[in-house]
Amino acid sequence: MSAREDSAVSARRGVGVRVGPFGVLVRRRAVVWTAMVTATLLAVTVMAVLTGTLDLPASRVWAALTGRGSSVDHLVVVDRRLVRAVTAILVGFVLGLSGALTQSVTRNPIATPDLLGVTAGASAASGPSRRGRAST
């Protein structure tokens, strides 16, 4: 392969980044998708913190986030909305990670939790807790 063909192939694949003895090939498509997903996550998180049952203007939300708001604003924004948004992000991350681990352990790109018996175990665990309750 000539140098010209080699540079054309590397241009399609991505850009090589080398730091000391370590190197990695960064693909442009992966960088673009990561930037888009990050921007979407940030926008949804901002909307989750700005919206709620108690209608607060953005200035009061910002004041509560920076510690200059009232105690009620702080309670609503920091202790409720922000905690809920961060928890949702972490739960989504963990569920995605568990799905990726399930697929890599089984070496099956369409693996589901029932392959590992997770759904059967969840059903068995929920049975005894339901028997003790009276149905309404």
Side-chain angles (χ1 to χ4, degrees):
M1 189 181 300
S2 69
R4 184 179 212 176
E5 290 172 344
D6 188 37
S7 66
V9 169
S10 67
R12 276 183 280 160
R13 289 185 183 164
V15 177
V17 177
R18 181 169 292 286
V19 178
F22 302 105
V24 67
L25 180 67
V26 180
R27 297 177 189 241
R28 289 189 180 105
R29 180 181 287 178
V31 171
V32 169
W33 275 103
T34 302
M36 288 174 40
V37 168
T38 303
T40 304
L41 179 65
L42 183 64
V44 170
T45 304
V46 168
M47 288 305 298
V49 172
L50 287 175
T51 59
T53 305
L54 183 61
D55 191 23
L56 294 174
S59 61
R60 285 178 58 187
V61 171
W62 181 251
L65 287 172
T66 58
R68 293 177 289 149
S70 69
S71 61
V72 173
D73 292 347
H74 187 271
L75 174 76
V76 169
V77 173
V78 176
D79 293 341
R80 298 291 187 260
R81 292 181 186 176
L82 188 62
V83 169
R84 184 175 45 226
V86 170
T87 302
I89 291 169
L90 292 176
V91 166
F93 174 75
V94 170
L95 286 173
L97 183 64
S98 68
L101 287 173
T102 300
Q103 290 176 349
S104 68
V105 165
T106 60
R107 294 183 184 178
N108 182 354
I110 56 173
T112 58
D114 57 340
L115 280 174
L116 300 176
V118 175
T119 53
S123 307
S126 70
S129 65
R130 287 187 172 184
R131 289 186 197 134
R133 296 184 187 166
S135 59
T136 56

